[in-house]
Amino acid sequence: AIGTSDGRETPLRSDSRAREMDDAALEKALLLAVSAGDVESDAFASANGADHKKVVGLIKSLESSELVRSAARDHSALKLAAEAEAYLTQGTPEAQAFAAVPPGAGVPLADFKKLDKTISDIGFKQAMQQKWLAMEKGEVPMVVRKADAVEDTARKYLAAINAGDVASVPPKELDALVKKRKLVKQETWKTFTIGKGAKFALERKKAAADLTKEMLQDGSWRDAEFKQYNLVPGAGAPPNGGCVHPLLKVRQQFREIFLQMGFAEMPTNNFVESGFWNFDTLIQPQMHPARDAHDTFFMKTPAFANRAPEDYVQRVRAMHETGGSGSIGHQYSWKRSEADKNILRTHTTAVSARCLHKLAQDGFRPAKFFSIDRVFRNEAVDRTHLAEFHQVEGVICDVSLTLGDLIGVLYQFFARLGMTQLRFKPAFNPYTEPSMEIFAYHPMLKKWVEVGNSGMFRPEMLIPMGLPEDVNVIAWGLSLERPTMIMYGIDNIRDLFGSKMQMSSVKNNPVCRLGMIEQRETVKATE
């Protein structure tokens, strides 16, 4: 206890502490009672002045420690509703309504309606059903008696139920009281028979949950009992893990293939590019149809931006207008305003241009780059085309590379995809020369299909960057969606990418097997 200002002492124990003591005393009393034999939970609660729900909680707690065991018993009984208990003394509403109507002429309906609603509404309806009362129409509607005397049988049955004599109530009347009038309700509850458990003791020893510093210091950990860890395999609810989209599965396998071949990944985190990096640095003329609004998405805000080094911009401008190193250029007046327009990039080759320019500025060294990311084109959406898709691109930069080097690398790359038979067809690209379309015999489709495009970057593109004249760059690209659709048997691209994609197909699609071809097959294909 502590002293107060007026000299009185106040106990330190709070109400919660007192409740804890009560709980401990109740637990001790229950264990002592069980030691003498089986105990009924309701009788124990009544004898100790405790709430039965509190006793049930104590039983469950002791059961978890195996100090006691219990067997549940179901009980049910009919109990009067609160309003029905009042009817035992006052009579049922119909009896009260009958008593409110004097014999003879009766009472005006307007006056009768002024009575309590229980009497004037519920009681009046019940009395009319039993033909105790009736309403006579006229200039003044009247409520009159139809019987000289009545017996309040409903009250008699309620009294019998309250006394526990349910058997004396006719089934039909009992059903009406329970279901129709809801004056009687069915109550159910459980009691427990409590006996000794496997680890019964007169006192529960609380197991420690943690090994504390104090236990280590005083040595009490040697005799302490600790709670067991729940490390049973499979215990607990399974976690709601996510599922990998088929595109991401195929993307990861493409990435693994590039990394195995010694390529470094280029940063592709800028969806918005200036027209300079997306077109001009690739020596694509400003009047080219691909730069029109019907093929390219232009930004409204901000509409213009170009952070390219000014000296590089001027070299690109000169190459466009007058050419150089054997080229005559495009022979037109190059406009800076057109180059500064912001667009959604139409290909990842803009990223390749940035990396090659940085490679030239940092000091040339042979390099191999790759990128896999989203590009955007203003195309009509159909079963094989979307306004956005993913492009896979590989770039190799070294001295004296030839078209034969490109073909050899393509054989190695596509062999890892399971396509060892390739064909090449001459093609045109604004920034590569020579250029080739790539065809492969697809083992799943059993036919030749176009799988990509390739070529050697033009000197007009490389020289303004500052790369040595004897350095060549070979490159190839393909879409990510097409091999994914072939692999997973999807014939409509909107079922693979977009709002029509079914979540079930994301959860249940099989593992991607690209890149799992044996090394000897790759070597054989290359040879």
Side-chain angles (χ1 to χ4, degrees):
I2 59 173
T4 61
S5 59
D6 58 0
R8 293 179 298 159
E9 289 188 343
T10 303
L12 284 172
R13 190 177 68 182
S14 64
D15 291 343
S16 61
R17 179 64 178 167
R19 285 196 297 271
E20 289 176 6
M21 294 299 292
D22 292 341
D23 293 346
L26 187 65
E27 179 178 313
K28 188 174 182 179
L30 180 58
L31 291 173
L32 185 62
V34 172
S35 66
D38 289 352
V39 175
E40 297 298 327
S41 61
D42 53 345
F44 176 81
S46 178
N48 288 272
D51 182 50
H52 186 257
K53 291 182 179 179
K54 184 176 182 180
V55 174
V56 171
L58 178 58
I59 294 169
K60 299 299 182 183
S61 176
L62 292 172
E63 269 192 313
S64 65
S65 301
E66 299 185 54
L67 290 174
V68 300
R69 54 171 177 77
S70 68
R73 291 193 302 161
D74 294 322
H75 304 269
S76 65
L78 292 175
K79 299 289 183 181
L80 298 186
E83 59 179 313
E85 293 179 356
Y87 299 160
L88 292 178
T89 55
Q90 302 172 5
T92 58
E94 57 267 33
Q96 296 182 55
F98 182 82
V101 178
V107 63
L109 178 63
D111 294 339
F112 186 80
K113 288 294 184 181
K114 294 178 182 178
L115 298 174
D116 186 82
K117 190 174 182 180
T118 304
I119 299 173
S120 62
D121 189 4
I122 300 175
F124 186 41
K125 290 178 180 177
Q126 290 292 331
M128 290 183 68
Q129 287 179 5
Q130 299 184 45
K131 297 183 179 180
W132 293 359
L133 299 175
M135 185 178 68
E136 292 183 351
K137 297 181 179 180
E139 291 185 6
V140 179
M142 301 291 290
V143 179
V144 298
R145 288 187 177 186
K146 299 295 289 183
D148 296 331
V150 296
E151 181 185 4
D152 194 353
T153 55
R155 178 183 179 184
K156 180 178 69 172
Y157 295 147
L158 290 174
I161 294 171
N162 192 49
D165 186 16
V166 180
S168 64
V169 182
K172 184 177 179 180
E173 300 295 334
L174 180 62
D175 187 69
L177 291 173
V178 174
K179 295 181 179 179
K180 292 183 178 179
R181 304 191 64 176
K182 301 189 185 309
L183 296 177
V184 180
K185 56 184 178 180
Q186 184 88 24
E187 286 190 350
T188 60
W189 70 96
K190 285 185 178 182
T191 62
F192 297 84
T193 302
I194 316 155
K196 294 180 180 179
K199 298 180 181 179
F200 177 78
L202 289 176
E203 185 178 356
R204 173 159 53 174
K205 190 175 182 181
K206 190 174 181 180
D210 298 299
L211 179 65
T212 64
K213 178 181 68 174
E214 291 75 17
M215 289 181 179
L216 294 174
Q217 289 175 343
D218 59 22
S220 60
W221 62 272
R222 294 185 177 89
D223 301 321
E225 182 180 346
F226 293 92
K227 289 184 178 180
Q228 293 185 350
Y229 284 100
N230 186 4
L231 299 178
V232 180
N240 294 323
C243 302
V244 182
H245 192 281
L247 269 177
L248 295 182
K249 288 184 177 181
V250 177
R251 181 190 185 280
Q252 182 58 28
Q253 289 305 118
F254 268 103
R255 187 171 182 273
E256 293 293 336
I257 290 171
F258 275 114
L259 293 175
Q260 291 168 9
M261 295 177 66
F263 284 70
E265 189 166 11
M266 294 183 283
T268 58
N269 56 341
N270 51 323
F271 288 171
V272 177
E273 282 281 11
S274 65
F276 177 81
W277 286 109
N278 196 84
F279 297 119
D280 293 277
T281 190
L282 305 182
I283 314 300
Q284 193 162 339
Q286 293 183 341
M287 72 288 292
H288 194 281
R291 301 181 70 153
D292 293 339
H294 66 269
D295 284 326
T296 302
F297 291 108
F298 289 86
M299 298 287 293
K300 286 187 177 180
T301 305
F304 301 94
N306 186 4
R307 295 183 177 87
E310 188 60 31
D311 58 339
Y312 177 48
V313 174
Q314 294 305 319
R315 291 196 297 270
V316 171
R317 176 178 191 152
M319 188 62 72
H320 275 260
E321 292 183 344
T322 59
S325 301
S327 171
I328 63 170
H330 294 300
Q331 299 293 312
Y332 73 100
S333 178
W334 185 86
K335 296 179 181 179
R336 179 65 180 263
S337 59
E338 188 70 24
D340 290 350
K341 289 181 179 178
N342 280 334
I343 64 170
L344 292 180
R345 67 182 179 208
T346 62
H347 48 198
T348 54
T349 314
V351 179
S352 302
R354 285 180 178 271
C355 288
L356 290 174
H357 177 260
K358 186 177 185 303
L359 180 66
Q361 301 308 305
D362 293 345
F364 171 74
R365 55 176 177 79
K368 294 191 287 187
F369 300 119
F370 80 94
S371 64
I372 309 172
D373 211 339
R374 197 173 300 184
V375 297
F376 309 87
R377 294 183 186 173
N378 192 3
E379 294 183 346
V381 177
D382 56 31
R383 60 190 301 273
T384 58
H385 295 86
L386 290 177
E388 54 181 306
F389 59 96
H390 294 76
Q391 182 175 331
V392 181
E393 184 164 339
V395 176
I396 300 178
C397 180
D398 204 347
V399 175
S400 302
L401 290 177
T402 65
L403 193 64
D405 295 313
L406 173 60
I407 293 174
V409 172
L410 292 176
Y411 268 109
Q412 287 187 340
F413 177 78
F414 283 99
R416 292 174 183 264
L417 303 181
M419 292 176 279
T420 58
Q421 301 180 58
L422 300 183
R423 290 176 180 172
F424 304 98
K425 175 183 176 182
F428 169 78
N429 291 318
Y431 45 88
T432 59
E433 180 62 35
S435 306
M436 301 185 301
E437 291 178 351
I438 310 166
F439 294 83
Y441 184 79
H442 203 288
M444 293 178 63
L445 301 179
K446 306 297 183 184
K447 64 179 182 180
W448 290 89
V449 294
E450 183 180 355
V451 293
N453 212 327
S454 65
M456 300 182 66
F457 284 151
R458 299 168 63 99
E460 296 97 317
M461 170 183 167
L462 304 179
I463 292 175
M465 293 179 177
L467 290 171
E469 292 189 3
D470 59 346
V471 170
N472 295 327
V473 179
I474 57 177
W476 70 98
L478 62 153
S479 75
L480 185 65
E481 281 76 4
R482 184 171 177 81
T484 305
M485 292 172 65
I486 293 174
M487 176 166 297
Y488 289 99
I490 300 172
D491 61 357
N492 192 325
I493 194 170
R494 288 168 288 194
D495 295 331
L496 173 68
F497 189 79
S499 59
K500 292 187 177 181
M501 177 73 180
Q502 298 295 319
M503 291 302 297
S504 58
S505 63
V506 176
K507 294 180 179 179
N508 302 323
N509 62 80
V511 66
C512 174
R513 300 186 61 84
L514 286 178
M516 298 184 181
I517 188 170
E518 295 184 8
Q519 185 65 29
R520 64 173 181 269
E521 296 183 31
T522 304
V523 174
K524 180 180 178 181
T526 305
E527 291 175 349

